Amino acid sequence: MIMPNQKIAPPSDDKRWKVVETTIRRNGSSSGALIETLHSVQEWFGYLDDEALTYVAQRLMVPLSKVYGVATFYHFFTLKPGGKHTCVVCNGTACYIKGAKKLIDSMADKYGVKPGETSKDGELSVLTARCLGSCGLAPAVVIDGDVKGNIESDELIDVLEGVINHDA
Ligand code: FES
């Protein structure tokens, strides 16, 4: 549990984080500052990765699921790796116990894509997160900004097929 005044260290000594920190201070470390902060990270780093999103969530004290939600919903944000659609699978303890691996395996079988990769046709990127902060929904995923909880492999593939074929 992160306390309001607890010091959260940036992911690295990279000086660009100092600029991001300035943005956070200017906008206040509230959930309203989320989009501004993500913009700042992307502007300086070119994309948003797992580490950066986790840091922003902790720093602004918002659930990681919300950060992934915003980052995958708006097209101006680029997640690394950057497929047309993104599925973030929570691999935290609660989700792992409730079958996150099966979800990951089902996407590997269907689309040939593992966490951290994008499918060959560029349609789907799969990422994992440590805990999306929605453990009551385990296993949870975020697909293009939508949090889906208590999801099983078949349903996940159905949802992804709908998303991918929608704009085919
Ligand atoms: S472990 Fe998956 S949401 Fe917490």
Side-chain angles (χ1 to χ4, degrees), residues 25-76:
R25 268 188 231 118
R26 198 178 51 229
N27 292 296
S29 54
S30 67
S31 58
L34 181 54
I35 291 186
E36 282 302 316
T37 306
L38 292 177
H39 262 306
S40 176
V41 176
Q42 177 154 308
E43 192 183 338
W44 289 97
F45 292 87
Y47 56 81
L48 306 169
D49 65 8
D50 185 30
E51 249 182 354
L53 295 175
T54 303
Y55 171 65
V56 169
Q58 291 178 343
R59 187 64 182 77
L60 301 187
M61 289 186 292
V62 293
L64 189 54
S65 58
K66 182 164 179 189
V67 177
Y68 270 111
V70 169
T72 55
F73 179 78
Y74 293 105
H75 293 301
F76 42 77

Side-chain angles (χ1 to χ4, degrees), residues 65 89-96 129-140:
S65 58
V89 180
C90 180
N91 215 6
T93 310
C95 290
Y96 188 82
R130 267 156 267 168
C131 171
L132 290 170
S134 308
C135 305
L137 298 177

Side-chain angles (χ1 to χ4, degrees), residues 132 137 139-143 146-151 155-156 159:
L132 290 170
L137 298 177
V141 299
V142 183
I143 300 170
D146 276 337
V147 180
K148 306 252 179 235
N150 303 313
I151 194 161
E155 193 188 345
L156 173 65
V159 174

